Protein backbone atom coordinates (compact mmCIF):
# COMPACT_ATOMS: atom_id res chain seq x y z
CA UNK A 1 0.00 0.00 0.00
CA UNK A 2 1.30 3.42 -0.97
CA UNK A 3 0.63 6.51 1.12
CA UNK A 4 -1.33 8.90 -1.05
CA UNK A 5 -3.11 11.27 1.36
CA UNK A 6 -0.78 14.19 0.55
CA UNK A 7 -0.57 13.59 -3.17
CA UNK A 8 -1.39 16.27 -5.71
CA UNK A 9 -4.30 15.66 -8.14
CA UNK A 10 -1.86 14.52 -10.83
CA UNK A 11 -0.09 12.19 -8.40
CA UNK A 12 -3.38 10.79 -7.10
CA UNK A 13 -4.53 9.90 -10.61
CA UNK A 14 -1.14 8.38 -11.41
CA UNK A 15 -1.33 6.33 -8.20
CA UNK A 16 -4.69 4.91 -9.25
CA UNK A 17 -3.35 3.96 -12.67
CA UNK A 18 -0.21 2.34 -11.29
CA UNK A 19 -2.10 0.49 -8.56
CA UNK A 20 -4.54 -0.93 -11.10
CA UNK A 21 -1.83 -2.10 -13.46
CA UNK A 22 0.15 -3.64 -10.58
CA UNK A 23 -2.93 -5.49 -9.33
CA UNK A 24 -3.79 -6.81 -12.79
CA UNK A 25 -0.44 -8.61 -12.86
CA UNK A 26 -1.85 -11.11 -10.36
CA UNK A 27 -5.60 -10.46 -10.25
CA UNK A 28 -8.03 -11.32 -13.08
CA UNK A 29 -10.02 -8.32 -14.24
CA UNK A 30 -13.31 -9.90 -13.22
CA UNK A 31 -12.02 -10.29 -9.66
CA UNK A 32 -10.47 -6.85 -9.37
CA UNK A 33 -12.45 -4.46 -7.17
CA UNK A 34 -12.40 -0.72 -6.64
CA UNK A 35 -11.73 -1.44 -2.96
CA UNK A 36 -8.50 -3.24 -3.90
CA UNK A 37 -7.40 -0.35 -6.09
CA UNK A 38 -8.13 2.16 -3.33
CA UNK A 39 -6.13 0.17 -0.81
CA UNK A 40 -3.22 -0.38 -3.17
CA UNK A 41 -3.13 3.29 -4.21
CA UNK A 42 -3.50 4.56 -0.65
CA UNK A 43 -6.34 6.94 -1.50
CA UNK A 44 -9.91 7.50 -0.38
CA UNK A 45 -12.97 6.20 -2.20
CA UNK A 46 -14.00 9.80 -2.88
CA UNK A 47 -10.67 10.48 -4.53
CA UNK A 48 -11.01 7.42 -6.74
CA UNK A 49 -14.48 8.39 -7.95
CA UNK A 50 -13.39 11.97 -8.52
CA UNK A 51 -11.11 10.68 -11.29
CA UNK A 52 -12.77 7.47 -12.47
CA UNK A 53 -16.30 6.16 -12.59
CA UNK A 54 -15.33 2.49 -12.40
CA UNK A 55 -12.45 0.06 -12.60
CA UNK A 56 -13.15 -0.19 -16.33
CA UNK A 57 -12.58 3.53 -16.71
CA UNK A 58 -9.14 3.06 -15.14
CA UNK A 59 -8.34 0.17 -17.47
CA UNK A 60 -9.52 2.24 -20.43
CA UNK A 61 -7.15 5.05 -19.43
CA UNK A 62 -4.28 2.58 -19.14
CA UNK A 63 -5.07 1.11 -22.55
CA UNK A 64 -5.17 4.57 -24.06
CA UNK A 65 -1.74 5.31 -22.62
CA UNK A 66 -0.41 2.06 -24.09
CA UNK A 67 -1.90 2.84 -27.50
CA UNK A 68 -0.24 6.24 -27.47
CA UNK A 69 3.09 4.62 -26.61
CA UNK A 70 2.73 2.14 -29.46
CA UNK A 71 1.90 4.97 -31.86
CA UNK A 72 4.90 6.96 -30.66
CA UNK A 73 7.39 4.11 -31.14
CA UNK A 74 5.97 2.90 -34.47
CA UNK A 75 5.32 6.23 -36.22
CA UNK A 76 8.99 6.70 -37.28
CA UNK A 77 8.85 3.36 -39.17
CA UNK A 78 5.82 4.23 -41.30
CA UNK A 79 6.33 4.83 -45.02
CA UNK A 80 10.05 4.19 -45.01
CA UNK A 81 12.12 3.88 -48.13
CA UNK A 82 11.75 0.62 -50.07
CA UNK A 83 14.35 -2.07 -50.19
CA UNK A 84 16.36 -3.24 -47.21
CA UNK A 85 15.33 -0.15 -45.25
CA UNK A 86 11.69 -1.25 -45.51
CA UNK A 87 12.47 -4.64 -44.01
CA UNK A 88 14.45 -3.02 -41.22
CA UNK A 89 11.63 -0.56 -40.54
CA UNK A 90 8.99 -3.28 -40.32
CA UNK A 91 11.23 -5.38 -38.12
CA UNK A 92 11.86 -2.44 -35.80
CA UNK A 93 8.16 -1.55 -35.68
CA UNK A 94 7.18 -5.00 -34.54
CA UNK A 95 9.99 -5.14 -31.97
CA UNK A 96 9.02 -1.74 -30.60
CA UNK A 97 5.35 -2.73 -30.38
CA UNK A 98 6.31 -5.94 -28.59
CA UNK A 99 8.37 -3.95 -26.09
CA UNK A 100 5.36 -1.78 -25.26
CA UNK A 101 3.25 -4.89 -24.83
CA UNK A 102 5.85 -6.33 -22.48
CA UNK A 103 5.81 -3.12 -20.44
CA UNK A 104 2.01 -3.10 -20.14
CA UNK A 105 1.17 -6.76 -20.52
CA UNK A 106 -1.14 -7.01 -17.47
CA UNK A 107 -3.55 -4.35 -18.72
CA UNK A 108 -3.29 -5.18 -22.43
CA UNK A 109 -3.68 -8.88 -21.75
CA UNK A 110 -6.69 -8.27 -19.51
CA UNK A 111 -8.27 -6.16 -22.22
CA UNK A 112 -7.71 -8.75 -24.95
CA UNK A 113 -9.24 -11.40 -22.72
CA UNK A 114 -12.27 -9.34 -21.70
CA UNK A 115 -13.21 -6.82 -24.39
CA UNK A 116 -15.88 -9.13 -25.78
CA UNK A 117 -17.39 -9.52 -22.31
CA UNK A 118 -17.45 -5.96 -20.99
CA UNK A 119 -19.07 -3.20 -23.10
CA UNK A 120 -16.86 -0.66 -21.31
CA UNK A 121 -13.83 -2.20 -23.04
CA UNK A 122 -15.38 -3.35 -26.30
CA UNK A 123 -15.76 0.07 -27.90
CA UNK A 124 -12.27 1.12 -26.84
CA UNK A 125 -10.55 -2.00 -28.18
CA UNK A 126 -12.45 -2.03 -31.45
CA UNK A 127 -11.63 1.63 -31.88
CA UNK A 128 -7.96 0.85 -31.29
CA UNK A 129 -7.96 -1.99 -33.83
CA UNK A 130 -9.89 0.24 -36.23
CA UNK A 131 -7.31 2.99 -35.92
CA UNK A 132 -4.48 0.52 -36.49
CA UNK A 133 -6.33 -0.87 -39.51
CA UNK A 134 -6.73 2.64 -40.95
CA UNK A 135 -3.02 3.35 -40.57
CA UNK A 136 -1.98 0.06 -42.17
CA UNK A 137 -4.49 0.51 -44.99
CA UNK A 138 -3.10 3.97 -45.74
CA UNK A 139 0.40 2.51 -45.79
CA UNK A 140 -0.59 -0.26 -48.21
CA UNK A 141 -2.28 2.23 -50.53
CA UNK A 142 0.78 4.49 -50.33
CA UNK A 143 3.17 1.63 -51.12
CA UNK A 144 1.02 0.48 -54.05
CA UNK A 145 0.81 4.00 -55.47
CA UNK A 146 4.61 4.24 -55.46
CA UNK A 147 4.94 0.83 -57.10
CA UNK A 148 6.76 -0.66 -54.13
CA UNK A 149 4.28 -3.51 -53.90
CA UNK A 150 1.96 -5.04 -56.47
CA UNK A 151 -1.80 -4.47 -56.65
CA UNK A 152 -3.75 -7.11 -54.83
CA UNK A 153 -6.81 -7.76 -52.69
CA UNK A 154 -8.72 -4.97 -50.98
CA UNK A 155 -6.23 -2.90 -48.97
CA UNK A 156 -8.50 -2.49 -45.96
CA UNK A 157 -9.17 -6.23 -45.76
CA UNK A 158 -5.42 -6.88 -45.76
CA UNK A 159 -4.91 -4.16 -43.16
CA UNK A 160 -7.53 -5.69 -40.87
CA UNK A 161 -5.83 -9.07 -41.24
CA UNK A 162 -2.49 -7.58 -40.20
CA UNK A 163 -4.01 -5.62 -37.31
CA UNK A 164 -5.77 -8.59 -35.74
CA UNK A 165 -2.87 -10.97 -36.43
CA UNK A 166 -0.48 -8.58 -34.70
CA UNK A 167 -2.80 -8.22 -31.72
CA UNK A 168 -3.08 -11.98 -31.31
CA UNK A 169 0.63 -12.64 -31.77
CA UNK A 170 1.77 -9.97 -29.30
CA UNK A 171 -0.76 -11.28 -26.79
CA UNK A 172 0.29 -14.91 -27.15
CA UNK A 173 4.06 -14.38 -26.91
CA UNK A 174 3.48 -13.34 -23.30
CA UNK A 175 1.95 -16.70 -22.46
CA UNK A 176 4.92 -18.78 -21.43
CA UNK A 177 2.89 -21.99 -21.45
CA UNK A 178 2.37 -21.38 -25.19
CA UNK A 179 5.55 -19.57 -26.22
CA UNK A 180 8.75 -20.12 -24.28
CA UNK A 181 10.82 -16.96 -23.68
CA UNK A 182 13.61 -18.31 -25.85
CA UNK A 183 11.14 -18.63 -28.75
CA UNK A 184 9.98 -15.00 -28.54
CA UNK A 185 12.30 -13.71 -31.24
CA UNK A 186 11.39 -16.43 -33.71
CA UNK A 187 7.70 -15.62 -33.23
CA UNK A 188 8.38 -11.95 -33.87
CA UNK A 189 10.39 -12.89 -36.96
CA UNK A 190 7.40 -14.89 -38.15
CA UNK A 191 5.10 -11.93 -37.59
CA UNK A 192 7.48 -9.70 -39.56
CA UNK A 193 7.50 -12.16 -42.44
CA UNK A 194 3.70 -12.25 -42.37
CA UNK A 195 3.59 -8.47 -42.75
CA UNK A 196 6.07 -8.60 -45.64
CA UNK A 197 4.18 -11.36 -47.44
CA UNK A 198 0.75 -9.75 -47.01
CA UNK A 199 1.94 -6.30 -48.09
CA UNK A 200 4.35 -7.24 -50.85
CA UNK A 201 3.15 -10.67 -51.96
CA UNK A 202 5.06 -13.78 -52.87
CA UNK A 203 8.10 -12.93 -54.96
CA UNK A 204 7.58 -9.20 -54.49
CA UNK A 205 9.57 -8.35 -51.38
CA UNK A 206 10.89 -4.89 -50.53
CA UNK A 207 14.38 -6.08 -51.32
CA UNK A 208 13.44 -6.23 -54.98
CA UNK A 209 11.18 -3.17 -54.94
CA UNK A 210 12.10 0.07 -56.71
Amino acid sequence: MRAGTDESPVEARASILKATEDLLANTPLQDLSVAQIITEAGISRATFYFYFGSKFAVVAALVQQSIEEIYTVTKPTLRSDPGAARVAALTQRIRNSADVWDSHRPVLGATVENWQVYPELRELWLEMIGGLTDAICAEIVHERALGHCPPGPDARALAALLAWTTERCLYLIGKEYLVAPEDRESRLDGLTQTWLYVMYGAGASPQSAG
Side-chain angles (χ1 to χ4, degrees), residues 124-137 156 163-164:
L124 173 69
W125 200 244
L126 291 178
E127 181 181 349
M128 187 278 289
I129 294 294
L132 178 58
T133 299
D134 289 342
I136 298 171
C137 180
R156 185 163 182 83
W164 284 108

Side-chain angles (χ1 to χ4, degrees), residues 107-120:
V107 65
L108 292 174
T111 304
V112 169
E113 293 164 1
N114 291 281
W115 70 263
Q116 297 185 67
V117 177
Y118 299 109
E120 298 91 339

Side-chain angles (χ1 to χ4, degrees), residues 63-172:
V63 171
Q64 191 60 50
Q65 284 186 357
S66 300
I67 293 171
E68 290 171 1
E69 285 188 40
I70 290 174
Y71 178 75
T72 297
V73 300
T74 59
K75 185 178 180 180
T77 66
L78 292 172
R79 301 187 181 183
S80 300
D81 293 332
R86 187 83 205 113
V87 177
L90 279 170
T91 300
Q92 191 61 51
R93 181 190 311 175
I94 290 169
R95 270 22 181 220
N96 289 345
S97 297
D99 288 343
V100 175
W101 266 79
D102 287 342
S103 297
H104 302 289
R105 190 162 295 282
V107 65
L108 292 174
T111 304
V112 169
E113 293 164 1
N114 291 281
W115 70 263
Q116 297 185 67
V117 177
Y118 299 109
E120 298 91 339
L121 299 179
R122 182 181 303 122
E123 182 177 355
L124 173 69
W125 200 244
L126 291 178
E127 181 181 349
M128 187 278 289
I129 294 294
L132 178 58
T133 299
D134 289 342
I136 298 171
C137 180
E139 185 175 12
I140 292 173
V141 170
H142 176 79
E143 290 287 281
R144 286 179 176 177
L146 293 178
H148 295 163
C149 58
D154 178 72
R156 185 163 182 83
L158 292 180
L161 170 66
L162 288 172
W164 284 108
T165 298
T166 300
E167 181 241 43
R168 185 54 36 177
C169 182
L170 295 183
Y171 167 72
L172 290 176

Side-chain angles (χ1 to χ4, degrees), residues 178-190:
L178 292 174
V179 179
E182 59 268 24
D183 294 331
R184 179 180 185 274
E185 288 302 309
S186 66
R187 297 300 189 273
L188 293 177
D189 286 340

